[in-house]
Amino acid sequence: MKQAMIFAAGLGTRLKPLTDSMPKALVPVAGRPLIDHVLQKLKMVDVDRVVVNVHHFASQIVDYLNSHASERFDIRISDESEQLLETGGGIKKARPLFDETEPILIHNVDILSNARFDALYKVKADAVLLVSDRPSSRRLLFDDDQQLVGWKNMTTGEVKSPFPWVKEADSNDQLHRFAFSGIHLFYPSLFDLMEEWPERFPIIDFYLKACAQKTIKAVIQPDLHLLDVGKIDTLDQAEQFVMKE
């Protein structure tokens, strides 16, 4: 069995006024809700179980999934109606909904891409992050074995890492800098490390600490095309993107 989690709990404030009456997950692109485009990609790699976290207009998402996805997937809802938990907290809360013998493919609801998910499953690690060398002011830092060792803000020069040697290695161009796609494969072997974390936290902060103890690897897709459908003016681009794929 393959399983996935779609982050669909966001407020979608940048997509107003559309999100004044619907959740971001149901904003239409080429005649279909954003979440349906993600579900279609998941089906292409034979994902069976999909966990969806919900918050903003949660009942609309639940109703849509019950009507349009329940026959294709084992749909499970992680309800964050009381509090948004960010990406790391969202995964932690959803733990009881997963099969802990299988990895979890994590995907944002507002990302369209040509990502090749199969490549993530071929890497032996505790987490596998899909990355590319595309313009971004925030980069993840990896060693020659594609192990995560840190993060860098390319604008300010700030470096975060559990390893004291990383800042000097980065300044000497001894590390590889890649932009994270927001798509990753999370193995349940990491859940126990999350127990010491609060309810609400970003997954990248977690990975930047966990990489000192666990194997967090990169998969580099040089031809990755990624579109964040986060603003009204990206909807036309999104439609063109879908038509080309």
Side-chain angles (χ1 to χ4, degrees):
M1 184 193 77
K2 284 185 178 178
Q3 56 188 348
M5 181 172 186
I6 300 176
F7 290 137
L11 298 175
T13 52
R14 294 180 299 160
L15 282 169
K16 284 179 172 289
L18 291 176
T19 48
D20 288 336
S21 58
M22 71 173 70
K24 177 169 56 177
L26 298 187
V27 169
V29 170
R32 291 162 43 219
L34 275 169
I35 197 168
D36 198 57
H37 291 282
V38 178
L39 289 169
Q40 183 180 37
K41 281 193 68 70
L42 295 178
K43 200 62 180 177
M44 291 170 64
V45 290
D46 299 320
V47 167
D48 304 294
R49 177 179 299 174
V50 179
V51 174
V52 182
N53 69 344
V54 295
H55 175 84
H56 185 57
F57 291 116
S59 63
Q60 289 188 31
I61 299 175
V62 173
D63 289 346
Y64 178 83
L65 293 171
N66 286 339
S67 300
H68 296 84
S70 58
E71 292 184 1
R72 293 178 286 161
F73 301 94
D74 170 13
I75 297 289
R76 302 187 174 198
I77 300 297
S78 183
D79 190 350
E80 296 182 20
S81 295
E82 292 186 4
Q83 180 188 15
L84 282 170
L85 301 176
E86 297 193 52
T87 48
I91 296 171
K92 179 182 177 180
K93 177 180 172 61
R95 180 177 184 174
L97 304 176
F98 296 116
D99 176 350
E100 294 200 22
T101 66
E102 299 292 337
I104 305 156
L105 181 61
I106 310 290
H107 201 294
N108 293 332
V109 78
D110 55 359
I111 292 293
L112 299 175
S113 77
N114 66 338
R116 293 189 288 275
F117 298 154
D118 282 340
L120 302 178
Y121 291 94
K122 295 176 182 178
V123 178
K124 187 176 181 180
D126 296 292
V128 187
L129 316 183
L130 183 65
V131 301
S132 64
D133 186 12
R134 65 183 191 280
S136 175
S137 61
R138 294 172 175 82
R139 298 287 185 115
L140 295 177
L141 306 177
F142 298 89
D143 65 16
D144 289 341
D145 294 324
Q146 306 308 338
Q147 166 70 14
L148 179 68
V149 295
W151 170 96
K152 182 173 184 177
N153 184 316
M154 303 300 292
T155 303
T156 66
E158 178 190 7
V159 172
K160 296 179 182 178
S161 173
F163 306 107
W165 51 267
V166 161
K167 191 167 186 178
E168 182 177 352
D170 174 70
S171 65
N172 292 327
D173 291 325
Q174 295 173 342
L175 299 174
H176 307 280
R177 306 171 187 138
F178 293 106
F180 181 40
S181 66
I183 300 167
H184 47 123
L185 199 62
F186 177 99
Y187 281 78
S189 55
L190 292 170
F191 272 129
D192 287 346
L193 286 183
M194 283 185 163
E195 290 305 311
E196 66 186 59
W197 286 71
E199 279 189 297
R200 187 173 186 265
F201 61 94
I203 191 61
I204 286 298
D205 286 359
F206 171 78
Y207 283 150
L208 288 171
K209 184 175 181 181
C211 68
Q213 306 171 59
K214 297 288 187 176
T215 306
I216 315 291
K217 293 277 191 175
V219 162
I220 305 153
Q221 184 175 329
D223 65 341
L224 181 65
H225 297 294
L226 195 75
L227 181 63
D228 177 357
V229 190
K231 299 179 181 178
I232 288 291
D233 59 9
T234 59
L235 289 177
D236 286 342
Q237 298 174 45
E239 187 146 344
Q240 295 171 24
F241 188 99
V242 168
M243 296 302 182
K244 290 178 181 177
E245 287 298 309

